[in-house]
Amino acid sequence: MTERLITSFRSAYSREPEFIARAPGRIEVIGNHTDYNGGTVLGAAINRGTWVALARRGDGIRRFASEMRPGVVELRAEDAERRTGSQSWVNYPLGVLVAMKSSGIAIPAGFDYMAASNVPAGAGLSSSAAIELSSALVFLQAAGASLTREALVTLGRKAENEFVGVPCGILDQGVSCFGRVNHLVYIDCRVPRFETVPLPASAHFWIFNTHTKHALIDGLYAARHQECLDAAKIIGVPFLVDATPAMLAAAETRLSRTAYKRAHHVIDEIARVEQTVAALRAGDLAAVGKLLYTSHRSSRTWFENSSAELDFLVDCLEVEKGVYGARLTGGGFGGAVVALTSDAFGQEGAARVAESYLSRFGSRPEVIHALTDDGAALVTAGRSAG
Ligand code: GLA
């Protein structure tokens, strides 16, 4: 991918890039909508990512291009308005620059920028965090600045919350930043604290991307976020992570039915993350799998962020040999299902699931056998400015 990106960079700008960085997409293994509730979450960086190449310019002009979009978006350094329509992808790198500036971090004035990615967009695999973090790394390098990984996570989230306009937590940026091959990333989102947990060698992840996306996805995500904050307030705690099942039961009559359901999911889901970590440490993948199925059902019933397509895939996977568990991954309302499997599940089983989906919904899901990967990093540095 790096060579292809350099070729695209050369053909767009007739010069060489100075800096290249890559940040991976991620799977949310378990911990659905727990992050912004101060809870814990478990994810994995995957071998799909976004690469960004950059070379500085002395004239203050910022040129943005992406292999996924035609044309070049040209802005002056003082242009910090959100872009709309076909240029809206630029809001990710632009949001990072705005967040860096408002945090007092040095940024490059002018540059030529090119992105390439193999993270499917809209699948719940964090293509946004991947472009934010890979952009941040090249911007920092170009400005001669550096940040800890913790600060990089905060920066990516700030760009997403304040500029892109999605009130997400730190799951996506945290996993993309702290990912490690053969490990899962465990995040205690309130502190925040990042750890890695070894993934047993026999475990595999398969992703089934439905290519479906609810039309109101951003609004639905923001609504769920608000419902959780409202529920915490009525229960009388700062965040749902502070509430116990007993506290929820005691507050049931004071909560709207909706607030009760959202809180029910989040409180139980945080407990499931802890149980999953314990099962992983014990090497009990069958127990992990059961927790994944329970998580999916809780999303479907209590959090109501599943869909007919996602439920169908989980049901198909459940009867396949070698599948420990499966669930929706990420925000929900469409996107993808992730399955945790043993070696006994392979291309044949995946094709069977895809066929069933095709005959039910008339389109084939994208199937990805994902490997765990390392977190965001610079790929090369110090090429001549050309
Ligand atoms: C999206 C958000 C994350 C997290 C998940 C749901 O991926 O970006 O912050 O809230 O949804 O767990």
Side-chain angles (χ1 to χ4, degrees):
M1 189 62 112
T2 311
E3 283 313 309
R4 200 178 90 191
L5 177 65
I6 294 173
T7 307
S8 304
F9 191 96
R10 283 185 191 132
S11 73
Y13 302 119
S14 306
R15 60 189 298 220
E16 295 293 310
E18 290 180 274
F19 312 107
I20 298 176
R22 175 212 177 246
R26 64 102 191 88
I27 304 166
E28 174 191 281
V29 176
I30 196 163
N32 189 239
H33 288 258
T34 54
D35 59 354
Y36 56 80
N37 287 300
T40 50
V41 64
L42 202 54
I46 56 170
N47 59 335
R48 294 286 186 116
T50 297
W51 283 252
V52 170
L54 184 119
R56 288 166 289 190
R57 297 171 61 94
D59 58 3
I61 300 286
R62 295 171 172 175
R63 297 198 289 178
F64 295 90
S66 159
E67 280 190 0
M68 289 81 71
R69 315 271 167 173
V72 173
V73 179
E74 189 168 310
L75 304 179
R76 283 161 303 139
E78 55 277 20
D79 292 339
E81 287 296 305
R82 286 192 68 203
R83 317 304 298 173
T84 52
S86 64
Q87 295 191 352
S88 53
W89 73 271
V90 174
N91 290 330
Y92 296 104
L94 196 54
V96 168
L97 288 166
V98 170
M100 286 170 80
K101 197 169 173 197
S102 73
S103 309
I105 303 163
I107 51 173
F111 51 76
D112 292 331
Y113 170 111
M114 171 68 71
S117 183
N118 57 14
V119 187
L125 301 174
S126 289
S127 57
S128 350
I131 190 169
E132 285 156 8
L133 295 181
S134 46
S135 300
L137 285 173
V138 289
F139 293 150
L140 286 166
Q141 197 70 7
S146 67
L147 286 180
T148 61
R149 283 195 288 174
E150 285 80 359
L152 203 55
V153 171
T154 307
L155 180 71
R157 182 189 184 187
K158 188 174 162 72
E160 185 99 21
N161 289 175
E162 295 173 13
F163 198 83
V164 178
V166 179
C168 66
I170 58 169
L171 160 68
D172 308 348
Q173 292 81 8
V175 174
S176 182
C177 227
F178 282 85
R180 187 169 160 204
V181 168
N182 297 331
H183 287 72
L184 302 185
V185 181
Y186 170 84
I187 311 175
D188 181 337
C189 302
R190 170 125 80 178
V191 183
R193 185 167 54 88
F194 306 87
E195 277 175 33
T196 53
V197 179
L199 180 68
S202 55
H204 294 263
F205 286 116
W206 289 79
I207 296 165
F208 295 81
N209 176 14
T210 64
H211 295 289
T212 59
K213 192 176 159 183
H214 198 293
L216 303 173
I217 193 159
D218 287 351
L220 287 166
Y221 183 90
R224 292 295 184 280
H225 184 140
Q226 194 55 49
E227 287 157 7
C228 289
L229 297 184
D230 293 347
K233 206 167 171 184
I234 292 169
I235 297 171
V237 290
F239 290 103
L240 285 177
V241 66
D242 302 307
T244 59
M247 288 161 88
L248 175 66
E252 184 170 357
T253 52
R254 284 180 287 122
L255 290 163
S256 68
R257 183 68 189 149
T258 301
Y260 176 82
K261 288 169 88 172
R262 306 306 181 239
H264 190 297
H265 168 74
V266 171
I267 294 168
D268 283 3
E269 185 76 354
I270 294 170
R272 277 189 290 271
V273 174
E274 303 313 310
Q275 290 159 18
T276 305
V277 173
L280 277 169
R281 293 206 191 277
D284 188 352
L285 291 173
V288 173
K290 284 196 187 106
L291 289 157
L292 301 194
Y293 284 132
T294 314
S295 167
H296 182 79
R297 284 181 195 115
S298 175
S299 290
R300 187 180 67 199
T301 313
W302 299 107
F303 213 71
E304 296 174 291
N305 61 335
S306 188
S307 67
E309 290 86 352
L310 298 171
D311 293 343
F312 182 84
L313 282 171
V314 170
D315 290 348
C316 289
L317 284 157
E318 197 161 9
V319 296
E320 283 294 332
K321 193 163 161 265
V323 176
Y324 293 118
R327 59 177 293 273
L328 65 82
T329 189
F333 310 109
V337 157
V338 62
L340 174 73
T341 77
S342 70
D343 296 329
F345 182 82
Q347 292 297 348
E348 216 180 284
R352 215 166 16 243
V353 171
E355 275 306 314
S356 307
Y357 186 92
L358 174 66
S359 41
R360 170 77 172 75
F361 294 103
S363 68
R364 199 175 280 282
E366 177 185 12
V367 180
I368 303 171
H369 181 193
L371 303 177
T372 55
D373 209 340
D374 288 331
L378 284 169
V379 176
T380 56
R383 283 170 178 268
S384 107

